[in-house]
Amino acid sequence: MHVSKAELDELVQEHLERAKTAPHRRSATAVLKDGRLRQTLMALDGGSELADHTKPEAATLLVLHGSVTVRWADGEQVVGHGGLFVIPDVVHNVVAAEPAVFLLTTIAG
């Protein structure tokens, strides 16, 4: 399967809009799947977050719009538009001070 930049851009806008009115102020959709590899587009409205959770076997995030802060017990990393980040292997959360969208790539066990 192939997803074009135009299709990703459309998904970014669609899910930013959905996140504004969603109960938890976020929206997500599966983009690609290949065996254990998953790519999920996630939109967070400004001021929202993904609560503490653990990392699957492997995970990265690529910010497509805005910026997010990944926080864990003894650190944090701000990832801005175009930034690619390897999620640490600890309990962490993701916070969006402004509307943001990222592509989460995971390998699930």
Side-chain angles (χ1 to χ4, degrees):
M1 178 177 203
H2 172 264
V3 177
S4 70
K5 181 182 180 320
E7 290 168 314
L8 274 178
D9 289 345
E10 286 178 20
L11 286 172
V12 165
Q13 292 309 312
E14 175 186 338
H15 286 276
L16 278 171
E17 289 302 314
R18 285 184 183 191
K20 287 180 185 177
T21 58
H24 296 288
R25 297 180 32 226
R26 63 181 181 245
S27 180
T29 188
V31 177
L32 293 176
K33 181 175 140 180
D34 182 20
R36 297 180 346 173
L37 180 70
R38 306 278 188 273
Q39 290 190 304
T40 305
L41 184 128
M42 302 193 77
L44 301 175
D45 195 21
S48 66
E49 73 176 82
L50 295 175
D52 283 352
H53 57 280
T54 58
K55 172 183 156 179
E57 182 179 336
T60 64
L61 65 82
L62 171 64
V63 178
L64 302 173
H65 179 89
S67 67
V68 296
T69 303
V70 181
R71 296 183 175 148
W72 57 97
D74 60 351
E76 69 177 37
Q77 178 68 52
V78 176
V79 186
H81 178 255
L84 179 61
F85 180 65
V86 175
I87 298 173
D89 194 14
V90 294
V91 173
H92 62 281
N93 61 48
V94 181
V95 178
E98 60 184 322
V101 180
F102 58 92
L103 186 65
L104 177 66
T105 302
T106 60
I107 295 177

